[in-house]
Amino acid sequence: MHDLNFISMRGVSKSYRHAGKLNPVISQVDFQVGVGETCAIIGPSGAGKSTLLNIVGLLDVADAGEYLFMGRSVANAQNDELAAIRKMQIGFVFQNFNLIPRLTVIENVALPLRYRGMDRAHSLEHAMCMLQRVGMAQRAGYKPADLSGGQKQRVAIARALVGEPSLILADEPTGSLDNQTASEILELLLSIQKEKNVTLLIVTHDQGIARLMQRQVVVRGGVVVELNA
């Protein structure tokens, strides 16, 4: 089991229909990521990076090819099965944070645990521990509108990690932050990744960030054109 690739794609393709025409977004992608590995997905805008990440995160389904998640094919999985895997195994971090404005910081972080059916008291307790880990415990009662961009991203990371996922998917997680804050956020993400031995995939256009990952996958024109070990 330990030698198994966490993520394994063979010949994966995806097209979208627009104005009655099929437009291929990714084509014949072969892509493997090992357990506990860090990997950057880089490439120009519109190259298919986010589509690839969405398929990896089971938010989208490939039209063709094979995708094994933790050694299991997801080709015939029903929507509720895919939702259960996302809920239990995957943590998402987005460029725009995606925090719920009406909830406090601690309630936002507790949300994935509430979705799993954990009671309010225990979910808030776990959320507070995670907020301490990302240096945001003193802002637990704040609303997202009262936070800076860097603080929002720390909260978003806490929310992604509170359920102890096996995989973190980060789509341009530092894209809307200044350089200093971006560097702190990345350092935080990598230190937690190492501590928990989670598999981490980051979509980024930043070569500096990409170089800090163990591997770099370059997507261009919907094709993975380069794999750097």
Side-chain angles (χ1 to χ4, degrees), residues 84-105:
I85 297 171
R86 283 197 303 271
K87 201 157 57 175
M88 302 303 289
Q89 302 288 352
I90 305 173
F92 296 91
V93 182
F94 304 95
Q95 178 176 348
N96 298 323
F97 324 122
N98 288 12
L99 300 174
I100 296 174
R102 63 185 169 78
L103 298 183
T104 61
V105 161

Side-chain angles (χ1 to χ4, degrees), residues 148-190:
S148 69
Q151 289 171 333
K152 285 177 188 170
Q153 198 56 294
R154 284 174 182 272
V155 174
I157 288 169
R159 180 187 56 191
L161 287 157
V162 73
E164 305 203 330
S166 315
L167 172 66
I168 302 171
L169 299 179
D171 196 354
E172 297 281 7
T174 59
S176 56
L177 306 175
D178 63 77
N179 288 347
Q180 174 64 32
T181 308
S183 173
E184 288 169 12
I185 291 297
L186 195 67
E187 208 173 287
L188 173 67
L189 203 47
L190 285 172

Side-chain angles (χ1 to χ4, degrees), residues 170-212:
D171 196 354
E172 297 281 7
T174 59
S176 56
L177 306 175
D178 63 77
N179 288 347
Q180 174 64 32
T181 308
S183 173
E184 288 169 12
I185 291 297
L186 195 67
E187 208 173 287
L188 173 67
L189 203 47
L190 285 172
S191 73
I192 296 175
Q193 179 275 328
K194 197 171 180 183
E195 189 182 298
K196 308 273 187 192
N197 195 37
V198 243
T199 304
L200 171 65
L201 259 69
I202 291 188
V203 163
T204 183
H205 63 274
D206 187 323
Q207 292 287 348
I209 290 175
R211 278 193 290 271
L212 293 173

